[in-house]
Amino acid sequence: MSCNTKGSVLFSGFRALGLYCNHLPHVVRYHKRHRKFYLVTAVGKSFHTYNVNKLGIVAVSNALPEDISCLAADRMLVFASHGNLVKAFARSKEVVHTYKGHNAEVHLVQPFGDHMISIDKDNVLIVWDVQSEEEYLQLNFDKTVFTISAVMHPSTYLNKILLGSQQGVLQLWNVKSNKLLYTFPGWGSGVTVLEQAPAVDVVAVGLVSGQIVLHNIKYNETLMKFQQDWGPITAISFRTDGHPMMAAGSLVGHVGLWDLEEKKLIAQMRDCHSTAVAGMTFVHGEPLLITNGADNAIRIWIFDVPGGAGRLFKCRVGHSAPPTKIRYHGQNAHQILSAGQDGTLQSFSTVHESFNKSLGHGSINKKKSKKKGLRFDTMKLPPITTFASETARQSDWDGIIACHRGFLIATTWNYQKTSMGAHKLEPERFNKNRALNVHATAVDVTSCGNFAVVGLSSGHVDVYNMQSGIHRGCYGSEKAHDGPIRGVAVDGLNQLTVTAAGDNLIKFWKFKSKELLHTTKLESAPSTILLHRDSGMLAVASDDFIISILDIETRKIVRKFSGHQRQITDMAFSPDGRWLITASMDCSIRTWDLPSGCLIDCFLLNSAAVSITMSPTGDSLASSHVDDLGIYLWSNSTLYSLVSLRPLPTDYEPTIQMLPGTCPEQDVNDVEVQEEISEEMIEYDSPEQLGEQLVTLSLLPESRWKNLINLDIIKQRNKPKEPPKVPKSAPFFIPTVTGLVPQFAVPEKQGTEDQSKVMALGMLTQKSKFCRQLQDDLSIDNYKASIQLLKEMGPSRIDTELRELAPELGGSLEVMQAFLRMIASMQSTKRDFELAQAYLALFLKLHLKAIATEPRLLTETTKVSEQLEETWLHMQTLFNQSMCLLGYMKSAVL
C-alpha cells in the first residue's frame, strides 16, 4: 500500500514531542556571525538543531528516506548518511549535495576542509570534493587485517588523517598523495574513539578494554594511560577553558573525569545517562560539558563547584522507553501527561519545550531509593499502565492517580510539586499479602478532585479520599464483579459510578451510597471504557473489536460501531462529544460520528497507536505508538479549512499516513493536484428543488417579504412629525389703503397654499417594466422572468408595482389576471412558497373590490384558492405526523 499524505480528512500531521536524540553522537558547531554554539542531534530520519545557551530547538531538517546512520558537520554544512548515501544539508534544513558511490552502509563521516571522508561497512574509504560531489580518492582495506572503527584529522597535519581499527592498529595516511605514512601497532585492544587533545601532536585513543591512551603521533610516544572499569570507551572530550581535564564516557552511562597534570581520576559522574554515553563535548572556552545518549536525553553539565565534578545545568529529557498512556492535563491543552515503559511519568508542553516537566520514577520508599541510587534501587515501582488526572484541587493536594503493572498499590502524584504524591492506596482486605497476585487495573478521579476510584483484578472496586488517602468504601457486598475490572468511570456530578469487568457486565452504582442501580449484559467482555462527562455518553470497547455507546441516563446502548480488525487500544471523545476517535492494533485510527452513527474518517499508520487523546479545545489529537519514543500531534483540519464530512463506504480502503516530522518533502505539483482533488470533493451544487413533491422556500431574507401586508402601517408609523410653525410677527408699520377714510390693508390669500404638493398621477398610462413583463409572460404562459423581477425589488417597490396593476393607475384587468396566474404557477411548482403567500396577501388587500366586481378576476382567484387549500392540507398532514413522532420520542422510555 502506497504512502499517501491525504490519508486523513480530519487530521493532518503537525509535529512530534519528546524526541531529542538517539544512539548517534551529537555534533557541536560554532556560528561566526551569530557568535553562538549550536548542537545537532539525530532523531530518526531527521536531525534537530539546538542553541547551547537555552537548549531550545531552532531548526528541524527535512526528513530522509531512511534513519540517519552517521552525523558530522563543518562550519557551513551538516553531513548525514543513510544507507549507502551521504547528504549535505545547508541552513540545517534542505539537502544541497548528495554523494553516491558506496555499495554498503556508511557508518563514519569526517569533514576534511574542502573535502569530506566517508567510510562504509565494507571497509571502503572515499574522499569527496564537497562542492562538485566528485570522488577524489578511494581506499580499500582488508577487513581481516584492518577494520576501520574510528577516524580523525590531527590538528595542523595538512592532508593527513588518522584511522583506528577494531584490531587495535592505527594508520596515518596522506590523502593527497595516497600514501600510508606510518602504522602504530596499538595496545592490544580495539580502537573505539579517536580525539584530538588541546596539545598539538597528541591524540587520545579510547579502547574496547576501557583504557584511554594519550599518544604523541609525531614521536610515537605514549604520554599517559588511564583505565576505566566500566567497559569500552564510548566518547572522549577535553576541557579548553584553562583546566587540564579529560572526560571519558562509558557503556553504562558513567563519565570519568581525569586530571591530566596529576594523572589521576578526580571525579566520577555516575548515571549521567541510563544507557551508553553516545556523545560528549566540552564547549570551547567554557566550563560546559554536553552529553547525549540512547535514552533520548541531552544534558549540559557545568563545572562551577569545588571537587571537580559537574552539576546538571540544562537538559532535554524524553522517555527512554515507549509511552504506554498519554492524556491531556488541564483545560488549556498546553500539557500532555505521559507514562512510559521506563517507569517515569512526564509532562510535555505543546507550547515550548522549556515548560516540560518530569514527575520522576515511582518508588515504594523514596528515602531509601535516594540512598541506593537509581541503578541499584530495588524499591522502584513497575511502569504505569494507566492513570487519571484532575486539576480542580491540584494546588491543594495530589491530583493524579496511577496503577502499575502487576502491582496492587495505586500511587498518587502531585503535578505542582512534579513528584510522586504522599499516598499509596492499598485496600486492607489483603493484609499486604503480595502472593495473592492481585493488582490494580483501572483508576478514575472525580471531577471535583476529592475522590479516587480504583478497580482491581479480583473484581473489587474501592473509593479513596485524595486528600487524606483514607479508604471511603467499596462497591458490592463482597466485590463489584466476578471478573477482573477493565474500567471505572464517575460522572461529572458524582452521582453515578460505572464499572466494567471481564464477566461481560457493566454496572451502574450510586456514587455515595454504593447502591447497585442497573446491570447491562454485553455479548463480549469489555477491554476498556471511556466516559464523556458533559454528554453522559459511555464508550465501551469489547474483545470482539466492537465499540458500544451507552447513555448513562437511560442505561441503554444507543450506537454500535464495528470495523476494527484487531484489539482496540484506546479511545478519545471530541470536546463536544460528537466524535469518537478509536485506535487499534490493526494500525488504524478511526473517527465515528455519534449523531449519524457513521464512520467519517479512517487512516493507517506504519506502527499501531497504543494511546490517543483529544485536546480539550479540540484543536489537536495526540498519539503514541508501538516502539516509538515520541508523542505525535495531529491538527484538526476542520478548524481552519472547509472539510466535507461524508460517511465512508463499507468497502473503504484507508491509506497510510506518515507520522508528523517524518514525511518526506513533496513537489509543488503534487500539492496542487491534491488541493484540486480536495476542492472537487468539497464542492456540492444543491439543486433549486430537491423534489417536485417538496415545498421549497426562497433564499430571500424575511425583511424582503414578511412585512409587505403591513407596509402602509409601517409608513404611517415612521412618518415624520411636522415641525412647529413660527407665528407671524406683526409689521412695525401697518399698511393702509389710500383714500379719504383711512383703512388697513388686508393681506391677500395665496391660492396655492391649500393645493397638494404631491403630483397626482392622473391618467398617466406609462406602464412599468413589471407590467410589460407580465403581459409578455401571459402570452407564453411562463412567469419565471416576472418572478425574478419581483425577487430583485425591495418591499416599497413591490407595493408600488402591485398598486399600479389597477386600471385607474395605468394597469389593466389583463395584467391583474396575469398576476393571479403567476401566483398559481408558483403554487403548482411549489417553489418560493413564502413569497407566493406574501405577494398574494398584498394583492388581495389592494384590489379586493376590483376582484369582486370582475368575473374574470374572480374565476382566477377561485382557482388560486383551491390550489392553496390543497397545498396547506398536505403540509398540515406532514406537520401532524412529525409532531406525533416527536412527542412519542420525547415521552417513550427507550
Side-chain angles (χ1 to χ4, degrees):
M1 199 172 293
S2 62
C3 173
N4 185 1
T5 55
K6 299 298 286 185
S8 174
V9 178
L10 295 180
F11 301 106
S12 58
F14 178 39
R15 66 189 182 100
L17 301 177
L19 291 176
Y20 301 108
C21 62
N22 58 11
H23 63 284
L24 297 180
H26 65 259
V27 179
V28 176
R29 307 173 62 200
Y30 179 73
H31 199 289
K32 289 186 177 180
R33 190 175 65 182
H34 296 171
R35 295 183 180 180
K36 292 181 180 179
F37 287 97
Y38 290 96
L39 173 69
V40 182
T41 61
V43 179
K45 299 177 182 179
S46 60
F47 62 85
H48 296 176
T49 303
Y50 301 86
N51 54 21
V52 175
N53 291 339
K54 298 182 179 180
L55 209 56
I57 188 167
V58 294
V60 177
S61 72
N62 294 334
L64 296 174
E66 300 173 317
D67 288 346
I68 296 175
S69 58
C70 187
L71 199 64
D74 60 11
R75 63 185 184 89
M76 294 297 294
L77 302 173
V78 177
F79 300 94
S81 65
H82 66 92
N84 55 2
L85 298 177
V86 181
K87 294 185 177 180
F89 289 79
R91 293 174 291 277
S92 299
K93 190 168 185 180
E94 64 266 11
V95 177
V96 292
H97 298 295
T98 302
Y99 307 96
K100 302 177 182 179
H102 287 283
N103 296 321
E105 181 182 352
V106 178
H107 69 104
L108 290 174
V109 176
Q110 173 66 45
F112 191 59
D114 294 334
H115 297 77
M116 182 268 298
I117 301 171
S118 60
I119 304 168
D120 61 24
K121 291 189 175 179
D122 284 346
N123 234 20
V124 177
L125 182 149
I126 300 179
V127 181
W128 306 88
D129 186 278
V130 173
Q131 296 299 325
S132 66
E133 302 179 9
E134 295 179 355
E135 188 177 305
Y136 177 79
L137 175 66
Q138 180 171 330
L139 299 175
N140 296 320
F141 295 86
D142 187 359
K143 280 188 176 183
T144 59
V145 179
F146 193 87
T147 303
I148 301 176
S149 59
V151 59
M152 68 159 289
H153 166 56
S155 180
T156 71
Y157 279 59
L158 190 64
N159 300 327
K160 297 173 182 65
I161 59 171
L162 183 64
L163 303 176
S165 67
Q166 295 180 4
Q167 290 79 12
V169 180
L170 278 73
Q171 294 184 359
L172 184 65
W173 283 79
N174 187 319
V175 295
K176 185 175 183 180
S177 61
N178 191 14
K179 290 183 180 179
L180 174 61
L181 300 180
Y182 195 81
T183 301
F184 301 91
W187 295 269
S189 182
V191 178
T192 57
V193 183
L194 291 175
E195 181 68 23
Q196 174 69 51
V200 181
D201 304 325
V202 179
V203 175
V205 182
L207 305 178
V208 176
S209 61
Q211 197 174 33
I212 306 166
V213 179
L214 267 66
H215 194 75
N216 189 310
I217 58 175
K218 183 177 182 180
Y219 300 105
N220 193 15
E221 293 181 358
T222 299
L223 303 181
M224 57 189 77
K225 294 182 180 179
F226 303 103
Q227 179 67 43
Q228 289 188 174
D229 299 330
W230 302 321
I233 304 299
T234 58
I236 298 175
S237 185
F238 291 89
R239 191 169 171 182
T240 57
D241 61 336
H243 296 266
M245 181 186 295
M246 179 185 68
S250 64
L251 281 177
V252 294
H254 302 332
V255 174
L257 301 175
W258 302 85
D259 191 318
L260 299 180
E261 286 186 350
E262 299 183 5
K263 301 181 182 180
K264 68 176 183 179
L265 180 69
I266 57 174
Q268 298 180 19
M269 297 169 58
R270 291 182 172 267
D271 299 319
C272 291
H273 293 272
S274 59
T275 59
V277 179
M280 188 164 50
T281 306
F282 272 105
V283 180
H284 183 73
E286 297 183 19
L288 298 177
L289 175 65
I290 304 174
T291 62
N292 79 292
D295 58 350
N296 193 23
I298 303 172
R299 291 183 171 92
I300 299 181
W301 311 84
I302 185 169
F303 294 82
D304 58 352
V305 294
R311 64 178 179 88
L312 186 62
F313 181 53
K314 294 180 183 296
C315 66
R316 291 288 180 265
V317 181
H319 284 293
S320 59
T324 57
K325 188 86 169 182
I326 59 173
R327 286 291 181 267
Y328 272 95
H329 182 69
Q331 297 300 317
N332 55 9
H334 290 170
Q335 298 289 337
I336 298 177
L337 284 176
S338 172
Q341 295 180 11
D342 54 0
T344 61
L345 182 63
Q346 300 194 31
S347 172
F348 295 98
S349 173
T350 60
V351 179
H352 195 273
E353 292 173 341
S354 60
F355 300 122
N356 291 356
K357 297 180 180 181
S358 177
L359 279 69
H361 198 294
S363 178
I364 300 176
N365 192 316
K366 290 192 292 185
K367 292 183 179 179
K368 290 184 179 180
S369 297
K370 288 182 179 179
K371 291 180 180 179
K372 291 185 177 182
L374 182 62
R375 187 171 299 276
F376 305 101
D377 185 11
T378 58
M379 309 293 288
K380 64 181 181 181
L381 292 171
I384 295 173
T385 55
T386 184
F387 65 87
S389 67
E390 187 57 53
T391 59
R393 304 301 295 270
Q394 69 174 6
S395 59
D396 301 322
W397 52 75
D398 302 339
I400 305 171
I401 182 170
C403 56
H404 300 259
R405 182 183 301 162
F407 211 71
L408 175 62
I409 296 177
T411 57
T412 60
W413 300 74
N414 196 302
Y415 184 81
Q416 297 282 1
K417 298 179 180 179
T418 63
S419 65
M420 189 174 172
H423 307 298
K424 297 174 180 62
L425 309 180
E426 180 180 9
E428 297 179 355
R429 67 175 68 91
F430 300 110
N431 296 322
K432 298 184 179 181
N433 187 356
R434 302 289 186 265
L436 295 177
N437 196 22
V438 178
H439 56 275
T441 56
V443 291
D444 194 19
V445 180
T446 58
S447 58
C448 61
N450 292 320
F451 299 97
V453 182
V454 181
L456 307 179
S457 60
S458 60
H460 295 87
V461 179
D462 299 288
V463 181
Y464 298 88
N465 185 284
M466 288 291 288
Q467 181 182 8
S468 62
I470 299 175
H471 186 266
R472 292 300 185 188
C474 59
Y475 293 93
S477 57
E478 294 184 1
K479 53 184 180 180
H481 290 268
D482 294 330
I485 302 298
R486 300 288 179 84
V488 294
V490 184
D491 70 341
L493 300 176
N494 291 4
Q495 299 295 318
L496 286 177
T497 301
V498 185
T499 60
D503 56 1
N504 296 17
L505 296 179
I506 294 180
K507 295 185 177 181
F508 298 86
W509 312 78
K510 282 188 176 181
F511 177 79
K512 187 175 182 180
S513 64
K514 314 296 188 297
E515 176 187 349
L516 179 63
L517 297 176
H518 184 76
T519 301
T520 300
K521 178 76 173 179
L522 299 178
E523 297 177 359
S524 180
S527 59
T528 181
I529 66 172
L530 179 67
L531 176 64
H532 188 259
R533 286 175 172 168
D534 293 340
S535 64
M537 292 297 163
L538 179 72
V540 181
S542 304
D543 290 340
D544 57 359
F545 317 141
I546 293 179
I547 304 161
S548 304
I549 308 297
L550 284 81
D551 189 344
I552 64 173
E553 291 186 3
T554 60
R555 289 124 194 178
K556 298 292 183 180
I557 297 177
V558 295
R559 291 287 187 274
K560 273 193 175 183
F561 302 121
S562 61
H564 285 293
Q565 305 299 323
R566 296 285 182 87
Q567 177 189 357
I568 297 170
T569 55
D570 204 359
M571 300 180 291
F573 277 104
S574 60
D576 57 1
R578 184 181 181 88
W579 296 345
L580 176 67
I581 304 108
T582 58
S584 170
M585 292 303 293
D586 59 7
C587 297
S588 68
I589 294 180
R590 297 172 182 258
T591 304
W592 312 86
D593 186 69
L594 296 187
S596 64
C598 297
L599 175 67
I600 58 175
D601 187 56
C602 178
F603 63 98
L604 294 178
L605 298 165
N606 288 322
S607 60
V610 295
S611 185
I612 57 175
T613 178
M614 191 75 177
S615 66
T617 56
D619 57 355
S620 61
L621 173 74
S623 64
S624 62
H625 300 266
V626 174
D627 297 332
D628 202 312
L629 302 180
I631 297 173
Y632 297 93
L633 296 182
W634 309 81
S635 58
N636 186 355
S637 302
T638 60
L639 298 182
Y640 55 83
S641 63
L642 183 61
V643 177
S644 177
L645 297 180
R646 298 182 180 179
L648 299 181
T650 55
D651 57 347
Y652 178 77
E653 294 185 3
T655 54
I656 294 179
Q657 185 156 337
M658 302 296 290
L659 291 174
T662 61
C663 186
E665 190 177 9
Q666 292 181 329
D667 294 332
V668 178
N669 297 331
D670 296 340
V671 176
E672 291 177 354
V673 171
Q674 290 172 0
E675 289 179 354
E676 291 176 0
I677 293 174
S678 63
E679 288 177 359
E680 290 177 1
M681 180 194 68
I682 292 171
E683 288 182 357
Y684 174 71
D685 294 331
S686 177
E688 294 183 2
Q689 192 173 21
L690 298 178
E692 295 182 357
Q693 74 280 6
L694 298 178
V695 171
T696 305
L697 304 181
S698 68
L699 298 178
L700 295 181
E702 292 185 352
S703 59
R704 302 279 292 274
W705 56 268
K706 193 173 183 179
N707 296 318
L708 279 176
I709 196 170
N710 300 319
L711 199 61
D712 53 348
I713 301 175
I714 296 174
K715 288 182 177 180
Q716 187 68 26
R717 184 184 62 194
N718 296 337
K719 184 177 180 181
K721 295 180 180 180
E722 294 181 359
K725 296 181 180 179
V726 180
K728 294 182 180 180
S729 57
F732 184 77
F733 295 102
I734 300 176
T736 58
V737 179
T738 57
L740 297 175
V741 180
Q743 294 179 352
F744 294 105
V746 179
E748 298 180 356
K749 295 183 179 180
Q750 296 180 359
T752 59
E753 281 186 359
D754 298 333
Q755 186 176 353
S756 174
K757 295 182 180 180
V758 179
M759 180 182 294
L761 294 178
M763 297 300 293
L764 294 178
T765 58
Q766 185 177 0
K767 296 182 180 180
S768 66
K769 182 179 179 181
F770 177 66
C771 290
R772 296 194 300 270
Q773 188 64 52
L774 269 179
Q775 289 178 342
D776 296 341
D777 292 347
L778 181 63
S779 60
I780 61 176
D781 197 21
N782 188 349
Y783 300 93
K784 288 185 178 180
S786 300
I787 297 172
Q788 187 61 34
L789 277 177
L790 282 179
K791 285 184 178 181
E792 296 173 356
M793 298 179 186
S796 299
R797 177 72 182 278
I798 294 174
D799 182 77
T800 304
E801 291 287 352
L802 294 190
R803 289 179 185 274
E804 291 179 358
L805 295 180
E808 60 270 15
L809 294 179
S812 64
L813 295 179
E814 183 183 7
V815 176
M816 297 177 67
Q817 184 180 6
F819 182 83
L820 290 173
R821 291 186 179 180
M822 181 191 74
I823 299 297
S825 68
M826 296 173 70
Q827 293 287 341
S828 60
T829 58
K830 297 184 178 180
R831 293 185 181 181
D832 303 322
F833 187 76
E834 80 280 20
L835 294 184
Q837 308 299 315
Y839 297 159
L840 180 60
L842 179 60
F843 181 81
L844 294 177
K845 179 181 179 181
L846 298 176
H847 307 295
L848 188 60
K849 293 182 180 180
I851 293 173
T853 57
E854 293 294 334
R856 287 190 299 172
L857 299 181
L858 191 60
T859 303
E860 294 293 339
T861 307
T862 306
K863 294 179 181 179
V864 173
S865 178
E866 292 175 355
Q867 284 186 345
L868 188 61
E869 186 177 357
E870 181 182 355
T871 305
W872 272 113
L873 182 62
H874 176 65
M875 292 186 64
Q876 190 66 36
T877 305
L878 295 179
F879 287 152
N880 292 336
Q881 291 177 356
S882 302
M883 293 299 293
C884 182
L885 180 61
L886 182 61
Y888 171 75
M889 295 294 291
K890 291 175 65 177
S891 60
V893 179
L894 298 179

